[in-house]
Amino acid sequence: MGESVNRAEYCGTYDVVRADFEESVAQFGLPFEAAESCPRAHRLELVCEVNAFGQGADESHDEVRQPLHCENGDASLWRGWISPACLACRKGERTATFFVSLKCTKHCYFCFNPNQEDYEFFRTHTRDIAEELRQAHAQGAQFDCLAITGGEPCLHKPEVLEFLRCAKELYPGVHVRIYTSGDLLDDVFLNDLAAAGLDELRFSVKPQDTDGDQEELFKRMAAAVRVIPDVMVEMPVMPGEEQEMRDLLLRLDELGIRGINLLELCFPLHNEQEFKRRGFELRRKPYKVLYNYWYAGGLPIADSEAACLDLLRFSEERGLRMGVHYCSLDNKNTGQVFQQNRGFLLDDGFARSHAWLAMDEADYFLKCVKAFGEDALRVRDWLSSKEGTEAVELAEAKAFAADVLSREMPGDAQPTMEASVPQDAHFDHVAYKRVASLNDEVRHAMDNRAAFLSDLPIEDRVSFDSEVPSAVFPVAWENAVLERFPDAELAECWHVVEFDESTGPVLREVYATPLG
């Protein structure tokens, strides 16, 4: 048996890893803020504040009162309306994004495209995205949501239209969106996009200090609103520009824009002088859970989230009719976590060999609880006893009943999918229904996995790590263990599955936090 490690030491190793990471990032030239100025707990606090304000509002006023939703592990906050593509992005299931090239009409200092693989090549070369889609279809790929981004897609109008027509032919009912700066949009192309069945057009609006006069862009937005079912704006929020952003929200609402995605501004690990010139610093604790994420956007800028939350509050106070969605950097990483961990739901053999794990429906990490020190042996032995077995079986039954009740009676901050869809939407809700169906499939898979594991003998669902040492058991048993051992040193541990070509799937622990 290895040398005993207590809970504080065990969980503290992740603090050390985080500190080492932040020190290594310093080489890119942008400092971290001295202390975390906007902890993630502020997100849920805002939801409670805004929803309480809405409930107490005078209904005789004309403002539109909409609940503020806090979803996807508190990483996605929105009110009024949210694109079905944003909902699908959370899991990364049956959704894909294509680009013809990475050539662009803009030169944004915060652009992360230079981090993309083969960036220089695709600035001057193109891809046949319609043929790529045909090949994916021939190989059995299923899609509910598709996107074309860039670079600037409007530099390649024939290729965009061909892809759009191909998508609608191969995948009837598929939701297709396009990202554009709007510079090259004209009435002819807008009508062509509408005729080909484009569902959503997203304008990338840039700060005025980098983009000059926006009046011409607003005219193109107004033209798009007249022919495209859903027209959105998506943009990073710069700290210190809250008043300009409030004015922009009011203008977009007047234009009839369907919704806006407020993005957490990120430092793409280059152009540090542009960020320094504006006085920006990196956000302390940039990730909820530190990991090697695929998303190439970089690291979040301090105070960008605070500005986004302020704009959500403003949108409710002014009763804006358009949807307002804050998409945090955390929100962009959940799809990767789900995709890596989805095998736990599908592979009975892998799940059986890690029967103490469960997928958290909120953030898709695989989680368990560990007991340390002298508690490890005591907890392991008790769980194997008749008393322990009866206690954890009762705990699981209570957890299952609570889960069923929460689904049948959702709270104000977690509405059903159907309740999230505006009934006056221009389209027929097909995309929303497909996303809702996918969510139901995932939830059903989670339920099946839980039922499969609960049928296993208790001793198969407890592991003992002699190196730490620690006893490992399911999260659902936490309360039962604490009732029996109130002073036990417990920690909740989070995992992702990584694939090794020589050994297959490998479980990797990425975070541990104290319990009790």
Side-chain angles (χ1 to χ4, degrees), residues 342-457:
R342 67 193 299 271
F344 178 79
L345 302 177
L346 305 174
D347 187 336
D348 286 350
F350 183 81
R352 183 187 295 273
S353 63
H354 301 84
W356 51 89
L357 290 174
M359 179 181 280
D360 190 323
E361 191 174 352
D363 55 32
Y364 316 125
F365 283 98
L366 300 177
K367 299 180 181 179
C368 66
V369 177
K370 290 185 178 182
F372 299 91
E374 296 179 356
D375 296 323
L377 290 173
R378 290 194 300 156
V379 168
R380 183 195 64 177
D381 294 342
W382 178 75
L383 289 173
S384 301
S385 69
K386 180 180 179 182
E387 176 190 349
T389 298
E390 292 175 348
V392 297
E393 287 177 347
L394 178 61
E396 283 197 316
K398 289 181 178 179
F400 176 77
D403 184 50
V404 171
L405 184 62
S406 69
R407 295 179 188 179
E408 293 178 349
M409 300 178 63
D412 290 339
Q414 297 289 345
T416 63
M417 181 71 70
E418 289 299 320
S420 304
V421 183
Q423 295 307 304
D424 62 346
H426 298 290
F427 50 90
D428 61 1
H429 300 177
V430 169
Y432 283 101
K433 290 178 180 178
R434 286 187 170 184
V435 174
S437 175
L438 174 60
N439 289 341
D440 289 341
E441 290 177 20
V442 171
R443 188 172 294 114
H444 184 64
M446 289 182 178
D447 290 343
N448 285 345
R449 175 58 66 230
F452 170 80
L453 295 176
S454 65
D455 288 338
L456 297 178

Side-chain angles (χ1 to χ4, degrees), residues 182-494:
D183 288 352
L184 303 179
L185 276 178
D186 52 47
D187 289 344
V188 172
F189 190 48
L190 280 172
N191 288 329
D192 288 342
L193 291 172
L198 181 66
D199 299 280
E200 179 180 303
L201 186 62
R202 293 193 185 185
F203 284 87
S204 297
V205 178
K206 304 300 184 285
Q208 292 191 15
D209 73 334
T210 62
D211 211 38
D213 186 13
Q214 295 177 342
E215 286 304 315
E216 187 61 35
L217 178 59
F218 291 143
K219 293 179 183 178
R220 290 191 286 272
M221 289 182 184
V225 167
R226 291 192 287 268
V227 296
I228 304 299
D230 288 311
V231 178
M232 290 189 64
V233 166
E234 182 165 294
M235 61 185 299
V237 175
M238 316 296 170
E241 297 189 1
E242 287 83 351
Q243 186 55 54
E244 292 87 342
M245 285 298 303
R246 294 186 193 103
D247 294 340
L248 176 61
L249 292 185
L250 294 174
R251 182 67 180 274
L252 297 177
D253 203 45
E254 291 175 356
L255 290 172
I257 296 298
R258 186 65 174 198
I260 183 170
N261 280 353
L262 305 173
L263 306 180
E264 187 170 20
L265 174 64
C266 289
F267 169 52
L269 306 183
H270 59 264
N271 281 350
E272 67 276 4
Q273 292 304 321
E274 288 293 329
F275 285 82
K276 284 183 175 180
R277 184 170 67 84
R278 293 167 172 82
F280 293 156
E281 295 179 324
L282 294 174
R283 177 179 185 169
R284 184 69 64 179
K285 297 183 179 178
Y287 298 114
K288 182 178 179 180
V289 175
L290 185 61
Y291 186 61
N292 183 25
Y293 296 106
W294 301 330
Y295 179 68
L299 297 173
I301 292 297
D303 294 324
S304 178
E305 173 159 313
C308 291
L309 298 184
D310 177 75
L311 293 170
L312 276 169
R313 181 187 291 106
F314 173 79
S315 70
E316 172 57 24
E317 291 172 349
R318 298 301 294 266
L320 300 187
R321 285 170 171 77
M322 72 174 178
V324 181
H325 174 215
Y326 169 46
C327 178
S328 67
L329 178 61
D330 295 334
N331 194 53
K332 295 183 179 296
N333 292 326
T334 62
Q336 175 185 344
V337 176
F338 179 80
Q339 289 299 312
Q340 289 188 220
N341 287 345
R342 67 193 299 271
F344 178 79
L345 302 177
L346 305 174
D347 187 336
D348 286 350
F350 183 81
R352 183 187 295 273
S353 63
H354 301 84
W356 51 89
L357 290 174
M359 179 181 280
D360 190 323
E361 191 174 352
D363 55 32
Y364 316 125
F365 283 98
L366 300 177
K367 299 180 181 179
C368 66
V369 177
K370 290 185 178 182
F372 299 91
E374 296 179 356
D375 296 323
L377 290 173
R378 290 194 300 156
V379 168
R380 183 195 64 177
D381 294 342
W382 178 75
L383 289 173
S384 301
S385 69
K386 180 180 179 182
E387 176 190 349
T389 298
E390 292 175 348
V392 297
E393 287 177 347
L394 178 61
E396 283 197 316
K398 289 181 178 179
F400 176 77
D403 184 50
V404 171
L405 184 62
S406 69
R407 295 179 188 179
E408 293 178 349
M409 300 178 63
D412 290 339
Q414 297 289 345
T416 63
M417 181 71 70
E418 289 299 320
S420 304
V421 183
Q423 295 307 304
D424 62 346
H426 298 290
F427 50 90
D428 61 1
H429 300 177
V430 169
Y432 283 101
K433 290 178 180 178
R434 286 187 170 184
V435 174
S437 175
L438 174 60
N439 289 341
D440 289 341
E441 290 177 20
V442 171
R443 188 172 294 114
H444 184 64
M446 289 182 178
D447 290 343
N448 285 345
R449 175 58 66 230
F452 170 80
L453 295 176
S454 65
D455 288 338
L456 297 178
I458 294 294
E459 55 268 23
D460 288 352
R461 305 186 64 193
V462 180
S463 179
F464 190 80
D465 184 350
S466 60
E467 292 298 319
V468 175
S470 63
V472 189
F473 56 89
V475 171
W477 300 358
E478 173 196 338
N479 289 338
V481 171
L482 284 175
E483 286 179 8
R484 178 62 180 83
F485 304 103
D487 298 325
E489 289 195 348
L490 305 183
E492 184 178 88
C493 301
W494 302 20

